[in-house]
Amino acid sequence: MSFSVIKGAGYVLAHTPDMIMHNGTTQTTERHVNPDSDYLKKVPSHLRTYEEVVNYLPNQTYIGNMTPEELRGYEQPWYNKSLENSERYGRFGEIMPQNEFLALMKIVDVFDLVMLENSFTDSVRESLVNHPIVTDELINKLKAGEEKATIEKEVNENHAEALYNNGELIGCVKKAHDIDSNLNAHVILENLVAKASGVLSMLNLLNKNDIDPKSIDYVVECSEEACGDMNQRGGGNFAKAIAEVAGCINATGSDTRGFCAAPAHALIEAAALVQSGVYENVVIVAGGSTAKLGMNGKDHVKKDMPILEDVLGGFAVLVSKNDGVNPVLRTDLVGRHTVGTGSSPQAVITSLITNPLDRGDLKITDIDKYSVEMQNPDITKPAGAGDVPTANYKMIAALGVKRKEIEKKDLMNFVTKHGMPGWAPTQGHIPSGVPYIGFARDAMLEGKINKTMVVGKGSLFLGRMTNLFDGVSIVIEKNNGEVDEKSSVSEEKIRGMVAEAMRDFASHLLK
């Protein structure tokens, strides 16, 4: 059976500074345990403007206006540098401002749980009219607004989650059930944010790659949220909900969860579904997480930096049957961290990197680029977590030295040649391998690289069900132009095997 291919990718960011204070867990926890916190008082003065977010180098990389190689040309840190007059729209997607994203939450809400104020609704509707991929059909779902007094009553008396824009109350998200904690306003807001950013990612994937939404057969959603009620708190289905809004009327789908590793799991699942012939076009998609907003804010403020975790991230990737052109997903070269692997760095890297390479008789240096946890070091280094991608590349290189595939003196050269600087926002699942897929596809179509490996890792112990670590990987390869890969077993060998089996069977009959 022919390998499946990557036919397109979409990446989006939504700038949501007001959600940092009101929805990010670092800030909401601080308000609960220390409401008079000096940190909370300092947060407003450390928020970036939309223009600063658009001009930020890693953000321009995320949406495809800069390559990772171009980003490397700028000395770190990047937060004190600005790519002036940058574009909101990129090769892969866009950076949406907060007011439009709040309106998108209302648009994707099918149970009238989002309330927006009259004047805000009217003003943002005018902004969305000029959006290149927000159709009239979607804008018509932005219903008339409410009086501010009605919104205030919902927030003050009925436990609705307030929505703010530029510090002003402009709406709320109502609870969906009186006693079900899985349908309270807080959870509904988180889920609508994930759905809205997932829809934005899907729409950009379809638009940027000229894909007919009716051609999509299946959707795998792989964010870190879970929707359901008290009887099935994680039942889903974000995938079908996103497909519905995006106009994928012929699609079904399901949700995959695996903490940060979920996108890599979803990519392998999509590849297998297409390769098996079950579906022809499968999209993997994920929206962003409000909980992660301002997650390292205390460290950023302490170092007199802007709070850099001020954007929600999203992505979508289309996996289709082999067309002889687009990069192939080598399902025969999949790495996996099994239950018995262990959690030592060497065991993890061996299971995810060298085991699949050995099956393909490949060296570590045969992979042109490794896409690991592409966390933005601007965010993680001030928080004491170091440069996550570089640390991963050093471990891969060290294993290469041990296998005598790399000279020890060339270790850092390997990091530069086969690695990349991190540019993804710390949205949990978003940095884990998938940010490079769009760039990898372009580079392979242009003949610049031949192979890349997407590596996703996850911390299952966060759910308090197991202490296990998790991870999977898959090799993506330049298409050789052959739509049907030749069987590794020749027809002559197959005939010989059949003849031998028949002789063996006959000998048993004669006994």
Side-chain angles (χ1 to χ4, degrees), residues 51-104:
E51 288 71 25
E52 289 172 329
V53 167
V54 170
N55 290 336
Y56 184 50
L57 295 163
N59 290 349
Q60 283 295 305
T61 305
Y62 189 78
I63 63 170
N65 283 338
M66 291 179 62
T67 65
E69 290 73 25
E70 289 171 332
L71 178 63
R72 192 194 295 279
Y74 290 84
E75 185 180 357
Q76 296 181 26
W78 298 312
Y79 69 84
N80 56 6
K81 301 173 179 61
S82 181
L83 197 66
E84 297 297 333
N85 301 314
S86 292
E87 294 291 329
R88 162 184 174 168
Y89 299 101
R91 164 77 180 83
F92 303 134
E94 66 174 292
I95 304 172
M96 179 172 269
Q98 181 173 252
N99 64 329
E100 292 183 18
F101 185 73
L102 292 169
L104 187 59

Side-chain angles (χ1 to χ4, degrees), residues 77-376:
W78 298 312
Y79 69 84
N80 56 6
K81 301 173 179 61
S82 181
L83 197 66
E84 297 297 333
N85 301 314
S86 292
E87 294 291 329
R88 162 184 174 168
Y89 299 101
R91 164 77 180 83
F92 303 134
E94 66 174 292
I95 304 172
M96 179 172 269
Q98 181 173 252
N99 64 329
E100 292 183 18
F101 185 73
L102 292 169
L104 187 59
M105 286 176 60
K106 175 62 178 176
I107 289 171
V108 305
D109 167 33
V110 297
F111 282 87
D112 289 329
L113 298 172
V114 177
M115 300 175 67
L116 297 178
E117 190 268 334
N118 276 320
S119 59
F120 175 83
T121 301
D122 293 339
S123 64
V124 76
R125 184 181 285 110
E126 292 180 13
S127 298
L128 288 174
V129 166
N130 298 317
H131 195 290
I133 62 175
V134 178
T135 62
D136 290 342
E137 182 182 358
L138 291 176
I139 292 175
N140 289 337
K141 294 180 180 180
L142 185 60
K143 300 173 184 177
E146 304 283 348
E147 295 296 328
K148 191 167 187 177
T150 304
I151 294 169
E152 289 173 341
K153 182 177 180 179
E154 285 291 334
V155 173
N156 297 328
E157 299 180 19
N158 297 321
H159 306 290
E161 281 281 320
L163 296 174
Y164 296 87
N165 191 52
N166 298 325
E168 180 184 354
L169 178 69
I170 55 85
C172 68
V173 176
K174 297 184 292 183
K175 61 185 178 181
H177 196 277
D178 287 336
I179 62 170
D180 189 345
S181 60
N182 299 289
L183 295 172
N184 66 28
H186 171 79
V187 174
I188 293 296
L189 182 144
E190 286 187 339
N191 287 347
L192 282 172
V193 164
K195 179 182 177 181
S197 45
V199 166
L200 188 63
S201 303
M202 177 81 86
L203 292 175
N204 272 276
L205 165 71
L206 299 173
N207 177 264
K208 299 290 183 179
N209 298 280
D210 194 25
I211 298 163
D212 182 358
K214 297 184 183 67
S215 69
I216 306 303
D217 304 306
Y218 200 82
V219 178
V220 181
E221 203 274 350
C222 51
S223 67
E224 290 187 329
E225 310 299 354
C227 61
D229 63 10
M230 66 176 77
N231 293 310
Q232 49 272 314
R233 69 183 62 180
N237 180 310
F238 279 103
K240 214 160 183 179
I242 290 169
E244 177 187 23
V245 180
C248 304
I249 60 173
N250 294 315
T252 185
S254 60
D255 301 346
T256 286
R257 294 294 176 265
F259 284 93
C260 299
H265 281 290
L267 185 63
I268 294 167
E269 291 165 11
L273 285 168
V274 173
Q275 186 177 343
S276 68
V278 175
Y279 300 111
E280 189 169 315
N281 295 299
V282 178
V283 171
I284 67 168
V285 62
S289 170
T290 57
K292 305 290 196 310
L293 293 169
M295 188 165 54
N296 294 290
K298 287 185 178 181
D299 293 296
H300 295 168
V301 169
K302 192 183 300 181
K303 293 175 174 58
D304 199 29
M305 294 169 50
I307 294 177
L308 299 174
E309 293 159 311
D310 53 3
V311 291
L312 300 162
F315 75 89
V317 175
L318 174 61
V319 177
S320 300
K321 68 176 184 178
N322 199 335
D323 57 3
V325 176
N326 282 289
V328 299
L329 287 151
R330 291 290 302 272
T331 48
D332 58 332
L333 302 180
V334 168
R336 57 200 179 104
H337 182 282
T338 66
V339 171
T341 296
S343 58
S344 71
Q346 182 173 331
V348 172
I349 294 299
T350 298
S351 65
L352 298 181
I353 306 295
T354 58
N355 283 355
L357 293 182
D358 287 344
R359 286 199 300 275
D361 196 25
L362 298 170
K363 296 180 181 179
I364 284 177
T365 51
D366 288 333
I367 300 297
D368 297 295
K369 291 290 183 182
Y370 289 89
S371 184
V372 291
E373 299 164 287
M374 303 311 300
Q375 305 269 14
N376 177 358

